Amino acid sequence: MSLLNILRYPDPRLHKTAQLVTVFDARLKQLVADMAETMYDAPGVGLAATQVDVHRQVIVIDVSETRDELRVFINPEIVWASEEKRLYDEGCLSVPGIYDGVERPARVRARALDVEGKPFEVEADGLLAVCIQHEMDHLKGKVFVEYLSPLKRNRIKTKLLKEERELARSREKVSATR
Ligand code: K2U
Ligand code: ZN
């Protein structure tokens, strides 16, 4: 298994639309295993393939306290969402250090395929419902900061680009001393 690089906002690749999975083979299983390892290492409770620059409809989620209940959603779709909304302070592994309120349906029913290609449905509320919707946004090329005001979004973009430049400079200094 291997740790994958997580794209950081505002990388344009985060806005690509993921394609349907049509082949359920060992390569797909390897991708899921690598995504799960990357998610647990981050640590996060979810990860979409888009975030690791793989543009296929694959999501891994584990919202369990014990961190040992991995859920894999392939070609997921939301087939029902409650009228009732819930505001949740979201974060994102692609937008490190930023948390802000996003309102979404409180409960959803999602239909997907498992890693063998077998269909299943799950009804979710709480953190699982938020995470499923957050990850499915990633597969559509949408990052949660797009729900925030343009002012907030631009401040976040400026902050993360500045951090990216400082990170690149410190890496140059390290390689120059070698
Ligand atoms: O997509 C991601 O970057 C993974 C998110 C999933 C998530 C976002 C918002 C709300 C719930 C889940 C990361 O797990 S963000 C880090 C985190 C960790 C624990 C609980 C909530 C968020
Ligand atoms: Zn995210």
Side-chain angles (χ1 to χ4, degrees), residues 51 91-94 134-135 138:
Q51 293 178 273
C92 181
L93 298 176
S94 295
H134 178 107
E135 302 310 336
H138 275 303

